[in-house]
Amino acid sequence: MNVAEILDRRKGDWDQLDVMIGRMQRRSLRSFQPEELTRFGSLYRSACADLALAQAYKLPDQTIQYLHQLVARGHNVLYRSDRFRLSTWGRVLYRDLPRRIVRDPCVWIALALFWTLFLGSIAAAIMHPEFARGIAGEEALAQMEEMYAQPTHQRDRPSGERTAMAGFYVFHNAGIGLNCFAGGLVLGIGSLFEMGRNAIFLGAIFGSMAASVHAANFFEFVTAHGPFELTAICFSAAAGLRLGWSVIGTGGYTRAESLRRQAPKALALAGLAAVLFAFAAFIEGYISPSPLPYSTKATVAVLSTITLLLYVVGLGWPEPREADRAT
Amino acid sequence: MTTDHAPLDTSIRIVTPENIAFHYYLAGPFHRLLAYAIDLIVVLGLCLALLQGFSYLAPFLGGAAMGFLYLAWFLVFWGYGGFLETFLNGQTLGKRAVNLRVVSTSGLPINATQAMLRNILRVADFFFYASIGFASMLSTRRFQRLGDLASETMVVLEKRHRLIPLRVAASKLDEQIPLSFEADPRLAEALGGYVARRSDLTPERRAELAYILAEPLVRRWNLPRNADPDLVLCSLYQRTFFGAAERRPSPPALPEDHRRPFAQIDVRSTGAMDPPVELATANPFEHRPPDSEARRS
């Protein structure tokens, strides 16, 4: 008996393996009997052996190709990756992320740049009203004036509108944040541009509203959700910068490898930013426009600032212990 | 795990821990664009369906329906690709339709982080009318766009191969081929390649191709002059890989570096670890069955 014949007889096993792979792709590993799993392992390894034989004996190409794809699919279900585990995400969120934020120059650069542009734009808008008009446009400013003409809590709001607003803010703002993050991939330019644009635009509106007679109404609206929202846009940009910078300052790795190492970290930061955007959206939908007194809204703002500080500084400041550093 | 790539080809070679090297066929920009177009249609359809669904719910939810709609849109826009690629093992509906799959560059399935990352970063690839992603694909050897580079993934074509019958029909010619005939590895390879492809060729083309190899053999063995060259090659193939009908033939000669294939995968040692498998039967050296068994086939 020769090789082709042996392989010809193994067809039954291959079919069995093929069916098993199909089932494993669809169902979780737990639904398999231990014997089935051992059987799978041995079938897979013998298919590997068959492939080696078929290659060594130059069997027809199609047989080799068939075995190739069988082994490839088997390989894919055998060496499956840990797709999604909550505990990993928890560790990243409560331990790794705050530590990285405190020590990441990108975060501080983004924060500094944002606040410089934002405050500068406010100052410019207060001193030169035409600056605000040029940036935000005549119509938008007129609209804002009209919107805040009466105190926030006196405006008539049909029920459900708050949820609608919250949903819209998540859609819109978190979308901007993710765009800002992704834009950073091109040397960080997209992130800086998006963040700078938002800083100057928001600054122009803040400045012109601060100079307007309805300033009090405006600030009553924006106070509560401000801390989360402004921090979120900074974090988004910082995550984008981290991506962009990883290609420039490679730390001795190749550019692709450096990008690959930094990207998951940046993604975690961008994810945190998206969560902050969602928090901000809910505050903006439910608390900011509500008839609650200003003091309550200010308290919300203070509390959210304290939360952020506790998270970033409280969890992130302590030096990692040696044991943790190794992991 | 090491990776290697054949120059001037769009396949990637990956060596598994079992020491099996297999090839992934990389998907080029246009395959992927097609899959993306399908995904885009699915996402838009999903968004419209959500709009429709929430408009039915509006009487009960009031304005809140709008909020939930926006939330759902956000999740669909940003999460569609990442979610499906995580839970459908690297495939979205579009990729499934075009037979593409996202895998790590190491050949392993992707995880949630990789799936989310590459899908969110698609935005950057679509900058300047997608020229960035396109340029990146053309300048990396695995056709990776920026999102792929960051998440260390590649998109491969999944080819499903049908197993064709190894045997070809026996003919009278089989008996006329000298029993001493023994194909060397290169001839065996040529015969295998010919038989695998012959069903795609027209009879004229078969005759033309087969003639080159069959003609000298026909002359040497004094086969009938009018023997169909195609049939001659089929008989040779049959003899090479399955042996003569009457007597047990010698197995096809081992490739010159005959120790290598078995150094790559030591059948016996693997077999020893898993007694239940008939791995040992895959080892030709331990199986010299009696003539009767060969004759049965």
Side-chain angles (χ1 to χ4, degrees):
Chain A
M1 184 157 60
N2 58 33
V3 184
E5 207 151 304
I6 293 166
L7 291 186
D8 215 26
R9 289 186 184 181
R10 312 258 316 117
K11 230 181 256 174
D13 279 357
W14 299 343
D15 290 341
Q16 207 182 340
L17 179 62
D18 192 71
V19 171
M20 243 180 172
I21 291 170
R23 274 174 60 209
M24 287 195 156
Q25 280 173 340
R26 284 190 305 275
R27 299 214 314 236
S28 96
L29 219 52
R30 284 192 202 90
S31 63
F32 285 85
Q33 299 293 323
E35 303 87 63
E36 285 180 298
L37 292 178
T38 358
R39 178 84 186 135
F40 172 79
S42 33
L43 282 174
Y44 170 67
R45 278 188 296 267
S46 49
C48 287
D50 294 339
L51 175 57
L53 266 179
Q55 276 175 327
Y57 283 89
K58 313 271 189 207
L59 287 199
D61 199 40
Q62 252 142 322
T63 310
I64 293 179
Q65 294 294 341
Y66 169 81
L67 280 173
H68 254 314
Q69 61 94 19
L70 188 66
V71 168
R73 286 173 56 226
H75 176 265
N76 258 7
V77 293
L78 182 63
Y79 296 93
R80 52 177 79 200
S81 58
D82 210 3
R83 280 181 202 164
F84 178 85
R85 200 193 276 171
L86 216 55
S87 64
T88 316
W89 288 39
R91 202 186 60 220
V92 169
L93 185 64
Y94 288 111
R95 206 189 71 184
D96 301 349
L97 202 49
R99 285 181 190 169
R100 267 186 235 137
I101 290 173
V102 169
R103 289 169 183 78
D104 190 350
C106 289
V107 173
W108 300 110
I109 291 171
L111 279 170
L113 203 65
F114 179 85
W115 283 101
T116 313
L117 287 174
F118 182 57
L119 295 177
S121 176
I122 290 179
I126 292 175
M127 285 185 287
H128 308 282
E130 62 270 25
F131 172 79
R133 279 199 292 276
I135 295 288
E138 199 89 48
E139 273 173 49
L141 287 181
Q143 217 176 345
M144 294 296 275
E145 289 277 347
E146 193 192 310
M147 221 158 93
Y148 296 104
Q150 46 179 316
T152 324
H153 53 266
Q154 280 173 20
R155 271 186 288 161
D156 193 26
R157 288 178 190 283
S159 69
E161 196 192 295
R162 290 176 189 175
T163 315
M165 284 171 70
F168 174 75
Y169 292 132
V170 171
F171 175 76
H172 182 255
N173 296 351
I176 288 183
L178 289 176
N179 267 315
C180 183
F181 161 62
L185 195 44
V186 190
L187 304 182
I189 296 166
S191 297
L192 289 179
F193 177 77
E194 188 70 28
M195 186 187 71
R197 203 172 61 113
N198 273 288
I200 293 171
F201 183 81
L202 286 178
I205 299 230
F206 268 63
S208 82
M209 290 310 291
S212 123
V213 284
H214 307 304
N217 296 338
F218 176 75
F219 284 112
E220 189 191 338
F221 181 75
V222 297
T223 304
H225 60 266
F228 276 144
E229 196 162 288
L230 298 185
T231 312
I233 183 82
C234 289
F235 281 0
S236 293
L241 271 183
R242 174 117 303 282
L243 274 188
W245 182 252
S246 71
V247 182
I248 303 167
T250 59
Y253 295 102
T254 62
R255 291 187 204 286
E257 176 66 12
S258 166
L259 173 65
R260 193 192 65 69
R261 294 174 74 94
Q262 298 295 330
K265 299 178 184 173
L267 178 70
L269 187 54
L272 175 68
V275 171
L276 291 183
F277 271 123
F279 284 167
F282 282 96
I283 297 174
E284 193 172 358
Y286 289 102
I287 295 175
S288 299
S290 71
L292 294 170
Y294 183 72
S295 57
T296 314
K297 295 177 184 175
T299 313
V300 170
V302 171
L303 281 180
S304 43
T305 311
I306 291 175
T307 310
L308 278 173
L309 283 175
L310 273 181
Y311 176 72
V312 172
V313 181
L315 288 177
W317 197 259
E319 281 291 324
R321 281 170 300 164
E322 284 302 317
D324 289 350
R325 209 177 269 161
T327 56
Chain B
M1 201 173 280
T2 56
T3 56
D4 196 0
H5 73 121
L8 291 180
D9 200 0
T10 56
S11 71
I12 286 276
R13 187 168 163 267
I14 288 183
V15 180
T16 72
E18 291 79 19
N19 249 329
I20 291 292
F22 51 72
H23 297 260
Y24 277 120
Y25 296 93
L26 294 169
F30 295 101
H31 262 105
R32 296 176 58 175
L33 204 61
L34 182 62
Y36 181 67
I38 295 173
D39 281 332
L40 208 58
I41 292 168
V42 172
V43 166
L44 289 179
L46 216 55
C47 286
L48 285 179
L50 283 168
L51 180 63
Q52 198 64 32
F54 278 109
S55 71
Y56 287 129
L57 290 177
F60 310 106
L61 293 175
M66 268 311 270
F68 291 122
L69 176 64
Y70 274 123
L71 211 57
W73 274 356
F74 175 76
L75 292 178
V76 169
F77 268 145
W78 290 98
Y80 168 83
F83 180 82
L84 286 188
E85 281 174 16
T86 305
F87 292 101
L88 291 182
N89 192 6
Q91 285 189 315
T92 57
L93 297 182
K95 289 195 176 71
R96 191 160 268 209
V98 188
N99 274 330
L100 302 182
R101 192 186 288 280
V102 187
V103 294
S104 292
T105 47
S106 57
L108 299 178
I110 59 170
N111 59 30
T113 310
Q114 288 174 307
M116 285 311 290
L117 193 59
R118 67 185 299 285
N119 279 287
I120 288 175
L121 292 182
R122 178 173 291 119
V123 176
D125 283 299
F126 273 84
F127 273 168
F128 309 115
Y129 306 102
S131 60
I132 292 209
F134 198 68
S136 163
M137 273 194 207
L138 292 188
S139 52
T140 51
R141 72 173 196 210
R142 297 191 188 94
F143 291 142
Q144 287 166 302
R145 57 179 177 83
L146 294 183
D148 287 323
L149 285 174
S151 57
E152 208 185 11
T153 53
M154 59 185 177
V155 181
V156 297
L157 267 174
E158 288 230 307
K159 290 185 184 168
R160 288 295 292 268
H161 293 274
R162 217 163 26 88
L163 184 58
I164 57 152
L166 280 169
R167 291 162 189 282
V168 290
S171 72
K172 271 189 182 162
L173 272 173
D174 292 355
E175 296 156 20
Q176 301 182 30
I177 297 171
L179 286 173
S180 59
F181 168 72
E182 200 174 284
D184 70 17
R186 282 174 61 208
L187 180 58
E189 191 179 2
L191 289 172
Y194 174 76
V195 169
R197 291 190 190 92
R198 67 186 278 275
S199 55
D200 299 332
L201 305 172
T202 61
E204 294 79 29
R205 184 79 182 130
R206 277 187 216 170
E208 187 186 347
L209 275 176
Y211 180 79
I212 303 167
L213 188 54
E215 201 267 342
L217 296 176
V218 165
R219 216 178 306 157
R220 192 187 307 167
W221 295 332
N222 281 324
L223 300 181
R225 276 282 161 188
N226 59 354
D228 182 2
D230 176 49
L231 217 52
V232 174
L233 290 201
C234 285
S235 297
L236 283 178
Y237 168 85
Q238 183 72 18
R239 168 68 68 84
T240 307
F241 290 107
F242 292 94
E246 297 305 312
R247 254 189 287 165
R248 183 177 66 79
S250 51
L254 276 173
E256 271 133 56
D257 49 345
H258 67 276
R259 246 174 272 126
R260 230 193 66 221
F262 292 96
Q264 272 203 355
I265 173 150
D266 190 343
V267 181
R268 264 162 302 191
S269 70
T270 335
M273 291 193 304
D274 329 288
V277 222
E278 314 91 304
L279 261 181
T281 60
N283 188 338
F285 300 112
E286 288 178 358
H287 269 258
R288 291 283 161 84
D291 287 355
S292 59
E293 206 176 331
R295 203 171 289 133
R296 206 180 56 210
S297 50

